[in-house]
Amino acid sequence: DAGVIQSPRHEVTEMGQEVTLRCKPISGHNSLFWYRQTMMRGLELLIYFNNNVPIDDSGMPEDRFSAKMPNASFSTLKIQPSEPRDSAVYFCASSFKSAEKLFFGSGTQLSVL
Amino acid sequence: AQSVTQPDIHITVSEGASLELRCNYSYGATPYLFWYVQSPGQGLQLLLKYFSGDTLVQGIKGFEAEFKRSQSSFNLRKPSVHWSDAAEYFCAVGGGGADGLTFGKGTHLIIQP
């Protein structure tokens, strides 16, 4: 298995632009998580899905952030409009049986100028 | 609310010396506890986990951790570190249900030759 696949690895954009981060979970996993990592705040859970359904999005910082999981093999995290304070590494993780063992992607390094 | 505290932001250890990374958690029920390691530019990899049973758990790469309920701690140990152990280490807590994990802010491990 290729593991959790995230794209792009790096994204540089200008303030105000729309950013879309993509994630392909491990086949057979039924839970998917989006985390954001910054030096100041560490790893923060933004949202998680179980069987493609959003369960808890209380970690999503603002309405500018949205996430979708149209099917079991794909999820997106969208920021519109982006702001410099959104600069961070965004990780996607998946698991079988919720949080018993998370498998992380390599992350997307987002820089908003 | 659940939380994880890793009191040491940085730790420097000589190669071949023993290591202990501290982790304290706050959780309202029986916790599921995890240690993850992150190498530069990579996602997180699970080192070990505790769900129940023996409070001393063995993980990959020669790591072990001990769950002490009375101290709300789950410290990570290794008897002899190798230069390749230099990385960021994260402790995490969860309930094992359909929810995400709460991570500590991490401890950066530096190995001296």
Side-chain angles (χ1 to χ4, degrees):
Chain A
D1 198 318
V4 176
I5 299 173
Q6 291 186 246
S7 64
R9 284 298 307 272
H10 303 274
E11 176 79 32
V12 180
T13 190
E14 292 185 344
M15 182 175 63
Q17 296 299 305
E18 178 180 296
V19 174
T20 299
L21 311 182
R22 297 173 175 79
C23 176
K24 176 177 167 52
I26 292 174
S27 178
H29 283 188
N30 60 359
S31 295
L32 184 140
F33 306 81
W34 282 100
Y35 282 88
R36 178 172 67 176
Q37 184 179 37
T38 60
M39 289 292 292
M40 290 296 294
R41 302 171 71 91
L43 273 161
E44 302 172 279
L45 177 63
L46 300 177
I47 185 172
Y48 67 92
F49 296 82
N50 198 41
N51 294 321
N52 311 338
V53 176
I55 302 300
D56 184 356
D57 65 354
S58 60
M60 298 284 262
E62 300 172 34
D63 291 345
R64 299 184 295 106
F65 286 69
S66 63
K68 294 182 179 179
M69 192 165 186
N71 57 62
S73 59
F74 184 65
S75 177
T76 59
L77 178 67
K78 186 177 294 186
I79 309 172
Q80 166 62 22
S82 59
E83 296 183 2
R85 60 195 169 117
D86 301 331
S87 298
V89 181
Y90 291 81
F91 286 103
C92 175
S94 71
S95 72
F96 178 68
K97 291 182 71 175
S98 65
E100 283 197 5
K101 180 176 180 179
L102 297 185
F103 291 81
F104 281 79
S106 296
T108 294
Q109 173 77 60
L110 173 65
S111 298
V112 183
L113 307 177
Chain B
Q2 59 201 54
S3 66
V4 176
T5 301
Q6 293 180 247
D8 304 305
I9 298 174
H10 302 277
I11 281 190
T12 300
V13 178
S14 298
E15 189 169 15
S18 64
L19 170 71
E20 182 169 29
L21 303 183
R22 296 183 291 166
C23 171
N24 292 97
Y25 68 90
S26 174
Y27 194 76
T30 301
Y32 284 33
L33 294 159
F34 306 80
W35 274 99
Y36 282 82
V37 60
Q38 183 182 29
S39 298
Q42 300 297 315
L44 280 71
Q45 180 186 19
L46 181 68
L47 282 177
L48 49 78
K49 59 186 179 183
Y50 170 79
F51 289 170
S52 64
D54 193 345
T55 56
L56 183 64
V57 294
Q58 302 297 321
I60 62 172
K61 304 184 181 186
F63 286 92
E64 65 179 27
E66 186 171 12
F67 170 57
K68 293 185 178 180
R69 184 186 299 274
S70 61
Q71 299 177 18
S72 297
S73 69
F74 189 58
N75 294 348
L76 182 71
R77 300 194 294 249
K78 186 170 185 178
S80 176
V81 298
H82 185 262
W83 64 266
S84 60
D85 293 325
E88 192 85 14
Y89 290 80
F90 293 91
C91 181
V93 66
D99 56 1
L101 300 181
T102 298
F103 286 83
K105 292 196 173 181
T107 296
H108 184 58
L109 176 62
I110 300 166
I111 307 295
Q112 280 184 336

